[in-house]
Amino acid sequence: MKSIWKFFTSTRLAVVLSLLITIDVLTGTLLLSSSPKALGMIDLEIFFYWLFGMGLNNLAASWWIFLLLALLLLFALNTIVCTIDSIAFILRSHRETARTRAKARRILSQAIHLGFIIGLLGHLISSTFGYRTVDNRIFEGSSIPVPQSNELSLRLNKLDVEFSKNDGMLRMDADLSLLQDNKILKDKVVRLNEPLLYRGNAVYITHHGEAPESMGFKLSDNGVQEIIKIKLHERSATSKKGYTLKLEQLIPDFARDSEGKAYSASKQFRNPALEVKVYKGEQFLVSGWFLLKSPSETSLAFNGLKLVFSGLAYRPYAILTINKDPGTLIVLSGALIFIISLIGLLFIKGEGMELVRKPT
Amino acid sequence: MTEIFLWLSITFYGAGFISHVLTRKGSRRVLQRVSTYILILALAFLTIVLALRIMETGHAPMAGRFETLLFFSWSIAVLNTILLFRYRLRTTDTLTIPVIFLALLLAAFSDSSVYRLPLVLKTGWFEIHVVTSFFAYALFTLAAAGGALYLLKEKTASDTELGIYQNITYRSILWGFTFFSGSMLLGAIWGYLAWGSYWLWESKSAASLLLWFYYVGVLHTRMLKGWRGKTVSAMAIIGFALVMFTYLGVSIFLKSSHGM
């Protein structure tokens, strides 16, 4: 037991492990760039889920990560044992008349070790717990549930995007509300570099866009014209003249068979077409197909009634990344302790390296 | 205008190096003074180049190879000047001035177009992350210069002189490591605020990790008597190669979401 302890207190071990980690990560740096298929998904999941899933299935590209973990484990043990040993020494010798500078140097060195261990512990928590979700689409005015939370939901109140011809995107602001049982817990305008943070949950805006929400049709009946908006499979509101429209179906690649029956030639949106049914009250009047790629060429006429496709109505949406990482604060705290102690060490005089020349 | 001052700076660094070599061979005070003034002027021109570029782009010089090479050169030049005025030390110029000269020459032949900074990069966290990492690179370069001088003069120089080279190497690595660790922390905070993760598994971040562990190893050699002197000096030079790999190699030869 004593010899194992002594082995792990070795500074030589720390140097050798550091250099082995360097070589391992150097190989990993090259593999990360050359194996995007195998390693490209690594940041989209909690690390250990990825490692024991995709990582194990792609050992040719991920072996260095397993080796890194083994080396890091040894390095962490080395640091912990060294720190315990040194703290015991500091406590034993605190009454001795060691120079203040030497004492401060010892304490700061151990604080650096402690910061590293705390950071590593935080990273272990980050790699095991929490969740990561990407591509959460939320439409303006609507809500989506927060993943892995039964009670929380997010509402996009307003999306504000500003472009400039010369400078590209100037602003991408999503006014979000975090809700619990329809009560607002937090309001925040989420921007790039400014996420919504709430009890470990973090919401980021990554992209934005517009999706067709409904279709518009120009309906004219004996000189009276109006625009009617409808959603797929839904019935429109009643027009002034008492008509309602229903979008019956959408076909991605419109074609007709030998009997003139409509069907889709493929699943690709090569020639999308909409079937629209017209009602007056509850009475079905007529139905027809509208080709979306050539809307001006298709129309529907029936007893003085004319229906023309006037275009799509779009609704803005934001794409959100929603994460929960319980280890982040611990990692950052460890790193802060590490750096503050390191800065302290910089200002202690005599922290030089005395010359050692081998005899010739 | 930027180009004129850039070429002036390159010319003065070239002249500064020649005068420095001549000064090393002889010991004429006048030549020493002239050489110092030339290098101060070269730094002044380089500072003007940086200032003009900042005014032109509206952000810190960190977007693209042209700007980062300018800032890298400027960081080393500032450190050199600190060494000169604080310690009256110019021996490291033998290696640092050629690095500045080559980096500026590479900048002169790089694409200097002004690119829009993406919205995600328009944050103070990113600016300070880049600035601290380039100061770290500059300090690691200085450490390599100290290491190279130790190895070159090991048999001829006095113990005092060799002690100075060792001290330059070790202190530069300690300061560089502090700046680099700070840069990694700032990058982690920015990464968390920008895309929800303080760490990304991509080439540049991995290269930074390897550099960090490498210098952890080098700093620990201080406690191993057999590793000091020659070994530490050689490690400082290898460290400079790793710095170049992390800074330029990854960006030029590998795919990385970090870019330049």
Side-chain angles (χ1 to χ4, degrees):
Chain A
M1 192 66 187
K2 248 187 176 177
S3 59
I4 295 174
W5 185 266
K6 203 179 169 193
F7 172 75
F8 277 110
T9 54
S10 160
T11 309
R12 197 174 293 269
L13 178 68
V15 175
V16 171
L17 284 173
S18 305
L19 297 182
L20 286 176
I21 291 172
T22 304
I23 296 166
D24 180 54
V25 181
L26 182 62
T27 320
T29 305
L30 304 174
L31 282 170
L32 275 169
S33 172
S34 61
S35 316
K37 251 190 178 176
L39 303 174
M41 301 285 281
I42 194 165
D43 290 313
L44 303 179
E45 280 184 71
I46 295 296
F47 176 67
F48 281 126
Y49 293 159
W50 178 89
L51 192 69
F52 295 113
M54 267 194 94
L56 269 181
N57 293 328
N58 293 284
L59 276 175
S62 66
W63 62 267
W64 66 277
I65 300 177
F66 287 94
L67 180 60
L68 176 64
L69 285 183
L71 291 169
L72 270 178
L73 181 71
L74 288 174
F75 193 82
L77 277 173
N78 180 217
T79 314
I80 291 167
V81 170
C82 261
T83 309
I84 294 171
D85 221 41
S86 302
I87 290 175
F89 177 77
I90 291 167
L91 292 174
R92 269 202 313 272
S93 61
H94 80 284
R95 285 191 182 172
E96 286 173 17
T97 51
R99 284 186 307 156
T100 321
R101 255 186 225 157
K103 267 186 187 173
R105 198 155 56 221
R106 266 185 224 144
I107 291 168
L108 285 171
S109 298
Q110 297 325 308
I112 291 172
H113 286 175
L114 206 67
F116 175 72
I117 295 163
I118 292 170
L120 214 56
L121 188 74
H123 191 55
L124 188 69
I125 293 169
S126 284
S127 305
T128 317
F129 304 105
Y131 62 82
R132 286 180 178 201
T133 61
V134 292
D135 292 339
N136 297 285
R137 187 191 298 231
I138 182 169
F139 283 95
E140 202 174 67
S142 69
S143 301
I144 55 167
V146 171
Q148 300 192 19
S149 156
N150 296 327
E151 303 146 353
L152 299 178
S153 63
L154 280 165
R155 188 178 65 212
L156 177 60
N157 303 313
K158 193 167 170 36
L159 183 68
D160 197 358
V161 182
E162 193 185 341
F163 276 95
S164 140
K165 258 190 179 176
N166 298 326
D167 299 323
M169 192 191 286
L170 298 174
R171 211 146 42 90
M172 184 166 65
D173 297 355
D175 182 354
L176 288 170
S177 294
L178 184 71
L179 308 158
Q180 187 173 33
D181 299 329
N182 288 326
K183 275 187 185 166
I184 294 175
L185 293 176
K186 192 170 183 178
D187 280 323
K188 164 93 182 159
V189 176
V190 172
R191 305 182 173 99
L192 284 173
N193 296 314
E194 287 181 40
L196 182 156
L197 303 172
Y198 182 79
R199 292 188 180 170
N201 293 287
V203 183
Y204 304 84
I205 183 166
T206 56
H207 300 91
H208 74 96
E210 283 183 328
E213 183 197 30
S214 59
M215 284 92 182
F217 287 88
K218 194 161 77 183
L219 190 137
S220 39
D221 182 11
N222 297 316
V224 179
Q225 282 191 357
E226 61 184 307
I227 298 285
I228 299 179
K229 284 183 181 176
I230 33 174
K231 290 180 181 174
L232 194 63
H233 302 307
E234 285 183 17
R235 218 152 147 167
S236 69
T238 309
S239 76
K240 287 172 194 164
K241 290 257 180 175
Y243 295 106
T244 52
L245 306 180
K246 188 184 177 195
L247 286 187
E248 193 62 27
Q249 57 178 319
L250 172 73
I251 281 181
D253 193 3
F254 182 79
R256 286 190 190 274
D257 62 15
S258 54
E259 291 169 10
K261 220 173 159 187
Y263 75 102
S264 187
S266 72
K267 285 182 179 176
Q268 311 298 319
F269 275 75
R270 288 190 185 123
N271 187 24
L274 282 169
E275 188 189 13
V276 180
K277 286 187 171 175
V278 184
Y279 296 84
K280 185 144 194 180
E282 284 307 309
Q283 191 194 351
F284 169 70
L285 296 180
V286 66
S287 73
W289 287 94
F290 289 84
L291 300 177
L292 298 183
K293 282 199 170 169
S294 47
S296 56
E297 293 165 22
T298 47
S299 63
L300 188 63
F302 180 76
N303 284 350
L305 171 97
K306 196 178 176 196
L307 196 63
V308 178
F309 179 67
S310 66
L312 296 166
Y314 291 88
R315 190 177 175 192
Y317 65 81
I319 300 285
L320 306 176
T321 288
I322 308 173
N323 292 351
K324 186 166 187 170
D325 185 345
T328 300
L329 266 181
I330 303 171
V331 171
L332 296 180
S333 310
L336 207 61
I337 293 171
F338 185 96
I339 287 162
I340 290 171
S341 312
L342 204 54
I343 292 170
L345 207 58
L346 282 177
F347 291 99
I348 294 178
K349 281 195 172 173
E351 190 52 30
M353 182 184 291
E354 70 266 34
L355 177 72
V356 174
R357 288 183 82 180
K358 283 178 187 162
T360 48
Chain B
M1 198 69 157
T2 311
E3 211 170 315
I4 295 169
F5 279 107
L6 176 58
W7 279 107
L8 270 172
S9 183
I10 291 170
T11 313
F12 272 71
Y13 273 117
F17 180 66
I18 293 165
S19 62
H20 172 67
V21 172
L22 291 175
T23 311
R24 302 293 302 163
K25 290 199 169 172
S27 57
R28 292 173 63 184
R29 275 198 169 176
V30 181
L31 200 59
Q32 269 180 10
R33 269 195 185 171
V34 170
S35 173
T36 305
Y37 289 140
I38 289 173
L39 288 177
I40 290 170
L41 268 174
L43 175 61
F45 290 136
L46 185 53
T47 308
I48 293 171
V49 174
L50 271 181
L52 287 172
R53 185 69 181 181
I54 292 168
M55 278 157 64
E56 194 180 5
T57 60
H59 57 73
M62 61 186 63
R65 197 173 303 155
F66 175 74
E67 289 179 15
T68 56
L69 280 167
L70 287 182
F71 192 70
F72 176 56
S73 315
W74 185 80
S75 309
I76 304 173
V78 167
L79 283 176
N80 258 2
T81 315
I82 292 172
L83 275 184
L84 175 67
F85 285 105
R86 177 91 166 77
Y87 304 103
R88 304 259 160 230
L89 197 75
R90 281 204 53 190
T91 41
T92 48
D93 283 3
T94 315
L95 290 152
T96 50
I97 300 296
V99 173
I100 297 172
F101 180 77
L102 287 174
L104 286 179
L105 213 57
L106 190 59
F109 290 105
S110 299
D111 177 16
S112 62
S113 318
V114 175
Y115 292 108
R116 273 196 320 256
L117 215 53
L119 209 51
V120 74
L121 302 187
K122 288 180 182 171
T123 162
W125 291 108
F126 171 64
E127 291 190 4
I128 194 164
H129 161 65
V130 176
V131 167
T132 45
S133 69
F134 274 96
F135 267 115
Y137 291 166
L139 282 155
F140 292 146
T141 308
L142 192 63
L149 285 168
Y150 182 95
L151 292 179
L152 286 171
K153 296 191 168 187
E154 201 201 0
K155 285 181 183 158
T156 53
S158 66
D159 277 5
T160 318
E161 199 180 340
L162 288 178
I164 291 170
Y165 298 144
Q166 277 281 274
N167 206 27
I168 290 171
T169 302
Y170 178 69
R171 297 288 297 178
S172 303
I173 289 175
L174 190 60
W175 274 88
F177 181 72
T178 309
F179 270 100
F180 197 64
S181 302
S183 160
M184 284 179 84
L185 171 65
L186 293 162
I189 295 172
W190 169 51
Y192 181 70
L193 294 175
W195 46 78
S197 181
Y198 58 84
W199 171 258
L200 286 181
W201 289 91
E202 55 89 42
S203 305
K204 192 83 166 188
S205 306
S208 303
L209 183 70
L210 82 87
L211 200 61
W212 190 84
F213 265 105
Y214 182 77
Y215 282 109
V216 165
V218 178
L219 284 172
H220 276 86
T221 55
R222 191 179 65 89
M223 292 191 278
L224 301 173
K225 280 201 169 170
W227 291 58
R228 292 180 207 166
K230 250 185 182 176
T231 315
V232 170
S233 302
M235 284 176 99
I237 296 168
I238 297 169
F240 176 66
L242 290 175
V243 166
M244 286 297 108
F245 170 74
T246 306
Y247 166 37
L248 290 172
V250 172
S251 312
I252 295 172
F253 301 111
L254 304 178
K255 284 175 201 151
S256 165
S257 58
H258 247 84
M260 286 294 290

